[in-house]
Every structure is written in C-alpha cells, then in structure tokens.
C-alpha cells in the first residue's frame, strides 16, 4: 500500500486503540495483543482485495464477534462501512482490476445482456409472437455476458476460456439448431433445462476454471444463493419502478405500455442478472450472507409442511398426480430442500458437534426422500401404462438423480449425527454432485429431442 494509505490506516488503528484503552480493566498489554490481532485481520482482508479503509472497518466488525469492546466500536463507526463498500475507486491487490474498471466491466456486461434480448428482433423474432423462441433462449441472453464477466474478473486462462466458449456455443446451438416446434414437449424441456446447464457453465468461470476444487464449488453454491436473493430484491424494486413509470406517464396521457413490455421489463430482467452477481461479489466477506440465515428460518417450516403432506398421503391413500406442471412443482420443492441443505452446510463449522438443527436437516432430507420415492412410483406406473414420452423420461431421470443425492445425503447426515462420520463428507458429496446435475441437464437438452424426433 502507498505511504499515505499506511498513515491513514495507522491513524485509524490509533483511534481504535484509544477507544479500547478507555476501559479501566484494559491494560496496555491487552490492547497491544488486540491490536496485533486486528492488524493480522486487516492483512488478511487486504490480501483478499479490500482497500485499507475497508479492511480496517471489516476487521473491527469481525473482531466484534469475540470482543465486546470492538463490537461497540464497530457500532459507533458502522456508518462509514456502508460508505466505502463498493465505489471506493481503490485498487485491489489480489490480481483483479481496480473497482472502477470492475464497475465499468459490469456495466458493459449488463448492457450486453439487456441488448441481447433485442438482437433477435433484427432477424424477425417478435417478443410476443415468438414466445417459445425467447423461452428457450432466455438464459443465454444473461448468462453468456455473466460468464464473460467472471472469466475477465478471475483472469481465466485461455484454454479454460475456450472450454467456456464451446459450452456456451453448444447451448446456443441446442436452443436454436434443432427443429423444435413451438408446442413440442422437447422444446419446453430444453427451455427448462438449458438454464441449469448454462448456470453451471457460469460456475466454471466463477471458479476461475478450477472446477475440481471442492472449496471453490462450495463458494459458487454460496454465490448462487446470494445472487438469487439479490435478484429478487432487484426485481421487487424494478416492479415498483415499472408501476411508477407507467402511472406517471399515464397521468399525462402518454401510453408507455409498449416501451415497458418490450424494452424495460425484458431488458432490465436480463441486465439485472449481471448486476445481482456483481453486488454479491462486492459485498462478499463484508456483509453477512443471507442464504444461511433464511435456511435457519425455513428449514423447520419445510419439515412441518413435508411431514403434513406425507401424513395426508397416508391418511387419504391418494396418489400423486404426474402431469408436467405437478412434476415440475415437486421437482422444484425437492431442489429447494437440497438448497436448504447446501446452505446449512456452507455456513456450518465442520468441526462443530451435532446439534438440534442437524436433526431438523435429517428430517427434511428423509421427508423429501420419501416424497421423491412416491413420485418415482407414479412416474414408473405411468410409463408402464402409457409408454415412454419426453416428459416421462425427463421426470424419471430427474427424480432418480434427486433420489440418489437425497438418499446418500440422508445416510451421511445419519452417520454424522451418530458421530461415525464428518460433515466434510457431506460437503464434498453435495459439491461433487453438481457434475451429475450438469450431465443430466445436458442430456435433456442435447440427446432427448432427437431421441423423440423433436416431438
């Protein structure tokens, strides 16, 4: 760091030390020990890419978790933290670009995502009349620029960039080269599974091409949860902005519904994906992650709902419907259950002993496992009665993939709770299983349409 920054940082540490030593019980040696710990924390955060001011404030805030004096100091100075989190203009030290260049890159990628939505119109595709085309390609508009942003930010090497380019090109080809009719089952399945495949390609860029690292895959999982939360918040704000825009122009007799429907909403939705990802990156290691917090809230609620559902199935002896919409609902529910498990793992100290929340996790996974088994029985019965179809094959495969994950996760949880295993094994199992999801998504997108004659 430059000399001026060092002086500024030393001055801030001196102010903090004066604050600490005001307490009668605090000896000078104690203050020195705390200062040494604070400086080591600052060095860690500056190595991670924060500026000196940011590193100081975050280190003080983190020390507040174990030291009441630092916690009080952080409360009194927390307003400064929010002013310095993102647009500081300071260079970073971990090989990334400076924050101004980073913001510029985000703006370029977000604008590219927004404009990508309108590019098909140059070739005669209408957003309303060609809805199926846009449904299949929606993920490509946003995720290709996002992948490019992470490839730039992580300094991804040229061979890995080539792999990313090939995978994105394969996604584009699968969505547009096959003769998929607008009302075809395989076209709908492509539209549902291509975002999964493309998001995991973004994961390769996010990890800097090092997809084999368990830790980096878990980082991507954490990022995914936070990005979804930020995107929802942006969408809510965008909804308010859209309503205000429509209402104010309507008040003066100008109809802006076409501009809103064909430009503001679709372009904003695509660009917001990149912005949400950037916000997660900007706040990383500074603001407490929200996904694990929400996991703590919703896990017991989901356990109650799933147990109530299973009780109702037993009481009424009713089967589970297996039309496409119902299957999609159940698969989303199972994915949410796995998400809750993942984010609980991501925020958990691996060496911590079993606790009540871990038993709740086991109840959640076992309940989901039983529901998945019921769905599989129904799907297999339909295939035996009516034969194979794209929807039934996709449903069968997806539920088998989920069943394997849930079953082994339940076993690993059980062994951990019985103190015969470690939470690290469950962590590795979940992050490693992402490759199975990717393989199945690519199978549905690339192989299923020609297998069923693009029906």
């Amino acid at each position: 760091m430059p000399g001026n920054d060092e002086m500024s940082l030393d001055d801030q540490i001196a102010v903090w030390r004066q604050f600490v030593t005001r307490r009668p019980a605090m000896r000078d040696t104690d203050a020195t020990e705390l200062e040494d710990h604070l400086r080591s924390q600052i060095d860690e955060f500056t190595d991670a890419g924060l500026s000196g001011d940011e590193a100081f404030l975050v280190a003080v805030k983190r020390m507040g978790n174990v030291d009441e004096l630092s916690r009080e100091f952080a409360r009194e100075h927390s307003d400064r933290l929010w002013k310095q989190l993102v647009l500081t203009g300071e260079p970073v030290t971990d090989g990334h670009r400076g924050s101004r260049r980073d913001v510029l890159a985000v703006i370029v990628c977000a604008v590219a995502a927004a404009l990508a939505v309108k590019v098909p119109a140059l070739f005669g595709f209408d957003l309303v009349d060609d809805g199926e085309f846009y449904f299949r390609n929606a993920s490509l508009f946003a995720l290709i620029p996002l992948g490019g942003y992470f490839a730039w930010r992580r300094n991804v090497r040229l061979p890995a960039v080539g792999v990313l380019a090939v995978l994105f090109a394969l996604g584009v080809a699968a969505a547009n080269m096959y003769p998929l009719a607008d009302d075809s089952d395989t076209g709908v399945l492509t539209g549902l599974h291509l975002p999964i495949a493309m998001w995991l390609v973004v994961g390769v860029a996010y990890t800097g091409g090092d997809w084999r690292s368990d830790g980096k895959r878990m980082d991507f999982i954490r990022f995914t949860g936070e990005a979804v939360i930020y995107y929802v918040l942006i969408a809510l704000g965008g909804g308010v902005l859209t309503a205000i825009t429509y209402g104010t122009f309507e008040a003066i007799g100008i109809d802006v519904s076409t501009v809103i429907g064909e430009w503001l909403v679709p372009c904003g939705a695509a660009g917001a994906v990149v912005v949400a990802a950037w916000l997660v990156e900007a706040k990383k290691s500074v603001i407490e992650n929200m996904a694990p917090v929400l996991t703590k809230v919703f896990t017991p609620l989901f356990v109650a709902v799933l147990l109530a559902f299973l009780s109702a199935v037993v009481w009424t002896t009713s089967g589970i419907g297996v039309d496409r919409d119902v299957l999609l609902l159940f698969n989303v529910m199972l994915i949410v259950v796995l998400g809750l498990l993942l984010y609980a793992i991501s925020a958990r100290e691996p060496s911590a002993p079993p606790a009540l929340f871990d038993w709740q996790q086991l109840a959640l996974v076992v309940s989901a496992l039983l529901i998945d088994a019921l769905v599989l029985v129904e799907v297999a019965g339909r295939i035996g009665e009516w034969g194979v179809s794209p929807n039934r094959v996709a449903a069968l495969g997806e539920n088998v993939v989920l069943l394997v994950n849930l079953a082994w996760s339940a076993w690993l949880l059980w062994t951990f709770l019985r103190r015969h295993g470690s939470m690290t094994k469950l962590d590795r199992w979940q992050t490693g299983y992402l490759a199975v999801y990717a393989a199945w998504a690519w199978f549905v997108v690339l192989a299923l349409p020609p297998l069923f004659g693009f029906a």
Side-chain angles (χ1 to χ4, degrees), residues 154-178:
R154 299 290 192 265
N155 294 318
V156 175
R157 294 181 178 179
L158 192 58
V161 171
V163 172
L164 292 171
V166 169
L167 291 174
F168 279 126
L170 195 59
V172 173
N176 299 285
M177 299 300 290
Y178 283 158

Side-chain angles (χ1 to χ4, degrees), residues 325-341:
D325 293 338
V326 172
L327 287 174
L328 179 60
L329 175 63
F330 276 103
N331 285 334
V332 168
M333 181 270 293
L334 295 173
I335 291 170
V336 169
V337 168
L338 286 171
L340 292 173
L341 177 63

Side-chain angles (χ1 to χ4, degrees), residues 180-200:
L180 299 170
D182 288 345
D183 58 348
S184 67
D185 290 338
T186 51
V188 173
L189 290 171
T190 296
L192 292 173
H193 289 80
L194 188 58
I196 300 172
M198 292 293 95
W199 184 252
L200 293 174

Side-chain angles (χ1 to χ4, degrees), residues 241-284:
L241 174 64
T242 300
I244 292 174
T245 301
Y246 180 82
T248 52
F249 279 91
E250 182 72 13
I252 58 175
I254 299 177
D255 183 11
V256 292
S257 57
T258 300
V259 175
I260 290 174
E262 296 186 9
W263 285 89
L264 183 60
V265 173
C267 294
V273 173
V274 180
V275 174
W278 170 68
L279 287 173
V280 176
E281 285 289 283
K283 305 294 186 181
K284 186 171 61 178

Side-chain angles (χ1 to χ4, degrees), residues 402-421:
L402 291 170
L403 184 77
V404 172
N405 193 355
L406 288 167
W408 193 244
S409 297
W411 173 252
L412 291 175
L413 269 171
W414 174 249
T415 57
F416 169 72
L417 290 169
R418 296 294 302 273
R419 300 181 184 272
H420 297 308

Side-chain angles (χ1 to χ4, degrees), residues 132 135-136 180-193 320-333 375 378-379 382 389-396 398-399 444 448 454-455:
E132 291 291 335
F135 172 66
R136 292 196 303 270
L180 299 170
D182 288 345
D183 58 348
S184 67
D185 290 338
T186 51
V188 173
L189 290 171
T190 296
L192 292 173
H193 289 80
I320 297 176
V322 288
D323 60 69
R324 185 168 62 193
D325 293 338
V326 172
L327 287 174
L328 179 60
L329 175 63
F330 276 103
N331 285 334
V332 168
M333 181 270 293
V375 172
E378 292 289 338
V379 172
R382 287 298 182 94
S389 70
N391 285 332
R392 295 184 194 117
V393 170
L396 182 68
E398 287 159 9
N399 283 277
V444 173
L448 212 58
F454 310 102

Side-chain angles (χ1 to χ4, degrees), residues 25-99:
M26 180 63 65
R27 299 178 180 176
D28 191 68
T29 54
D30 296 329
T32 300
E33 183 178 350
L34 284 174
E35 181 180 336
D36 290 341
H37 181 59
L38 178 66
R39 288 184 179 275
S40 67
Q41 290 283 307
I42 291 171
D43 291 339
E44 179 181 340
F45 287 125
T46 53
D47 289 342
L50 298 183
S51 68
D53 287 343
E54 291 171 343
F56 168 74
L57 292 166
V58 176
V60 169
K61 183 177 178 64
R62 290 295 173 89
M63 284 182 66
N65 293 331
V66 295
D67 180 72
E68 181 61 34
L69 293 175
S70 291
R71 186 182 298 114
E72 186 176 343
F73 182 86
R75 280 198 299 266
E76 290 193 7
H77 296 78
S78 60
D79 58 316
R80 295 173 55 212
L81 178 64
W82 292 98
K83 297 175 184 177
Q84 300 180 41
L85 286 179
V86 182
L87 301 175
T88 62
E90 297 289 340
V92 297
T93 59
D94 63 347
H96 299 159
R97 281 71 173 175
S99 62

